[in-house]
Amino acid sequence: MTEKLIIHGGKALRGEVEISGAKNSVLKLMAATLLTGDSIELRNVPHLSDVGVMTQVLKYLGCDVDQQDDDRLYIQAKNITSCEAPYDLVRKMRASFDVLGSLLGRFGEARVALPGGCSIGKRSVDLHVKGLIALGAEVEINHGYVEAKASRLIGAEILLDTPSVGATENIMLAATMAEGATILSNAAQEPEIVDLANFLNAMGADISGAGTNELVINGVKPGSLHGTTYSVMPDRIEAATYLMAGVGTMGDVTVNNVLPVHLSSLTHKLIEMGAEIEMPSPNSIRIHSERRLQAQNIVTQPYPGFPTDLQAPFMTLLSTADGVSIVKETIYENRFKQVGELKRMGADISVERDVAVITGVPHLSGAEVNAHDLRAGAAMVIAGVMAEGSTQVFDLHHLDRGYEDVVSKMRSLGADIERVPDTSGRPVTEESA
Ligand code: UD1
């Protein structure tokens, strides 16, 4: 049976919340474990349905995977029985496409289903494929699968048309054991790329420049990567979600286990809007505000710009800010799914192509709303705690992909929120992000 959230909003959230390991990093680290037959121990691993899907993919390939009740995950890719990731699994979660680079890099062959479009945009993989071809792989697309082969990949100079996170990762994974150096320019600079490079280096790879737009991957000998223990970086998007819920309710919230520099593009905007922000320790951020926030404009950009993954939750905050705000979405073609739901809660928003204009209303009012995708779901939870009255949020499987224990974490901050069976029989929507 599906479930829904019931939130009685309008209460200021107060307290401290522990942030989990980053979904968008752990999935890539899991794909990277395919590069060695040794055992890997990952720590700070969140319990999320996306981690479950990646576990299924790795098990399908022949890996031993064991997630503990705490934050540890053990993976060993010693007895790989297949180099094929089937459509049934890849379509559930686009990040599973990252096994392409690892399988090709270690075994010289891979057959991975094309992820297809998804609900937030067309999201092609042309840059992944071009990068692998530049490394000397023969790549064909047959029957919805990317089939790649290479007896030995050769390092190359590669310039990405756009700094794609996934393409940067797949090329890094493939180039790790290539012959010679790969120089990847216009690379993605997201913190998750740095986490992947640090992890690969801990396994014996030789990668520098992560976090800048030029990565240098010096290929190491085939078979030379080894086991390690590694702690996943904190989830900057989850942290941001609790900060926005805190300030949106005019509360006082501290997020712990974060790297504040990862959240600079958000915290700068929040300060300009009138929020008070402090760093009580190097790994925490406190936010509070007693006043209505001021309107603000944002344009989504690759890191270190304002993240597209925070666009929907941030729009919830803007919906009650004083004045007119403008949001421009530049990364995805179809990422305003929260708008219709926020309007059902009383927001005043109009959309013209990739631009949304939000005229702040004094308050949102509770309603029945859908979590249309993962981050639109976060936007609905924030809206629910901010709104007057009761809100019901449906389609929670989207939220479960990326938010560990959202109900207990929100409750620890004083939110009145519960998760109950949804007996309405509503159809479930799919997404692969
Ligand atoms: C990752 C994140 C996602 C985030 C996104 C941008 C994970 C699991 N997901 O997704 O949460 O929203 O980064 O920060 O880490 N593109 C192409 N051709 C390609 C690859 C990408 O045209 O070969 C386009 C996409 O259609 C999209 C844009 O580039 O419009 C950004 O995509 P990309 O950076 O690759 O995002 P993901 O790695 O899929």
Side-chain angles (χ1 to χ4, degrees):
M1 162 122 27
T2 57
E3 293 177 309
K4 63 181 177 181
L5 293 177
I6 301 180
I7 307 170
H8 299 286
K11 298 177 179 64
L13 300 188
R14 292 185 194 286
E16 300 188 20
V17 62
E18 297 302 313
I19 298 309
S20 301
K23 170 186 93 76
N24 283 355
S25 180
V26 70
L27 300 174
K28 319 308 170 59
L29 305 191
M30 289 174 77
T33 64
L34 285 165
L35 288 167
T36 176
D38 290 355
S39 178
I40 302 278
E41 178 180 334
L42 294 176
R43 294 188 179 163
N44 201 30
V45 174
H47 290 262
L48 298 171
S49 62
D50 271 8
V51 171
V53 175
M54 190 56 108
T55 298
Q56 283 178 44
V57 174
L58 294 181
K59 283 188 170 170
Y60 183 93
L61 299 171
C63 297
D64 290 324
V65 187
D66 179 16
Q67 183 165 22
Q68 305 284 307
D69 288 338
D70 58 17
D71 66 352
R72 287 171 302 159
L73 176 67
Y74 295 95
I75 304 175
Q76 187 163 20
K78 191 171 179 189
N79 301 310
I80 293 301
T81 50
S82 166
C83 282
E84 173 172 325
Y87 183 53
D88 243 18
L89 291 172
V90 178
R91 77 183 174 87
K92 285 190 191 167
M93 191 186 70
R94 193 184 154 82
S96 47
F97 194 69
D98 270 31
V99 300
L100 177 65
S102 294
L103 289 172
L104 182 66
R106 177 157 164 223
F107 301 104
E109 61 174 310
R111 186 167 190 269
V112 178
L114 280 166
C118 82
S119 68
I120 58 177
K122 60 182 183 325
R123 300 182 86 178
S124 59
V125 289
D126 54 322
L127 302 177
H128 303 234
V129 170
K130 275 191 202 166
L132 299 182
I133 292 173
L135 292 172
E138 279 176 37
V139 183
E140 284 184 21
I141 300 186
N142 287 323
H143 307 293
Y145 279 77
V146 177
E147 297 172 346
K149 273 195 187 139
S151 50
R152 177 100 198 258
L153 294 170
I154 313 280
E157 288 188 19
I158 302 172
L159 170 68
L160 291 180
D161 293 344
T162 180
S164 155
V165 175
T168 300
E169 291 161 346
N170 247 330
I171 294 166
M172 273 166 84
L173 291 166
T176 301
M177 290 188 281
E179 191 181 321
T182 296
I183 298 170
L184 181 59
S185 304
N186 200 23
Q189 303 177 53
E190 268 69 3
E192 291 76 13
I193 301 289
V194 179
D195 214 32
L196 179 58
N198 289 342
F199 176 60
L200 289 170
N201 286 341
M203 289 171 74
D206 179 358
I207 300 174
S208 56
T212 73
N213 64 2
E214 185 168 284
L215 282 168
V216 179
I217 306 139
N218 287 308
V220 295
K221 275 199 200 124
S224 64
L225 293 195
H226 51 73
T228 190
T229 297
Y230 190 83
S231 189
V232 181
M233 62 170 269
D235 196 314
R236 60 197 170 102
I237 308 298
E238 188 201 20
T241 302
Y242 288 100
L243 288 174
M244 289 189 272
V247 75
T249 58
M250 291 198 195
D252 187 341
V253 164
T254 300
V255 290
N256 295 325
N257 181 33
V258 297
L259 290 169
V261 66
H262 292 172
L263 289 147
S264 293
S265 61
L266 173 73
T267 50
H268 277 92
K269 287 287 173 191
L270 291 170
I271 289 167
E272 284 178 39
M273 291 168 77
E276 310 267 344
I277 295 196
E278 295 152 30
M279 314 286 164
S281 82
N283 295 108
S284 24
I285 304 177
R286 176 183 172 208
I287 193 163
H288 56 107
S289 174
E290 282 76 45
R291 290 176 293 132
R292 186 178 179 193
L293 296 177
Q294 297 298 306
Q296 182 60 248
N297 302 331
I298 56 159
V299 180
T300 61
Q301 296 283 350
Y303 190 85
F306 194 93
T308 174
D309 287 352
L310 293 183
Q311 178 259 107
F314 195 73
M315 192 183 289
T316 299
L317 268 194
L318 297 178
S319 64
T320 62
D322 190 10
V324 177
S325 303
I326 296 173
V327 169
K328 186 169 163 68
E329 170 61 55
T330 71
I331 310 288
Y332 296 116
E333 306 87 20
N334 188 21
R335 216 180 193 180
F336 283 146
K337 290 210 173 149
Q338 73 281 8
V339 168
E341 309 303 302
L342 287 172
K343 283 167 97 164
R344 302 193 63 249
M345 298 179 74
D348 179 351
I349 305 172
S350 59
V351 174
E352 184 67 41
R353 292 172 185 266
D354 55 357
V355 172
V357 178
I358 304 113
T359 305
V361 294
H363 58 81
L364 295 175
S365 56
E368 292 173 48
V369 289
N370 260 12
H372 280 299
D373 61 47
L374 169 58
R375 304 306 172 187
M380 292 306 114
V381 174
I382 297 173
V385 294
M386 284 169 57
E388 290 181 356
S390 152
T391 294
Q392 296 192 34
V393 185
F394 299 93
D395 271 351
L396 296 187
H397 59 287
H398 295 308
L399 206 57
D400 295 336
R401 298 187 41 221
Y403 289 88
E404 185 176 44
D405 292 336
V406 66
V407 168
S408 45
K409 288 189 185 187
M410 279 289 178
R411 275 194 186 150
S412 75
L413 298 173
D416 183 345
I417 178 170
E418 61 176 335
R419 185 174 176 130
V420 298
D422 171 19
T423 52
S424 65
R426 301 155 63 99
V428 171
T429 61
E430 286 205 7
E431 175 209 19
S432 77

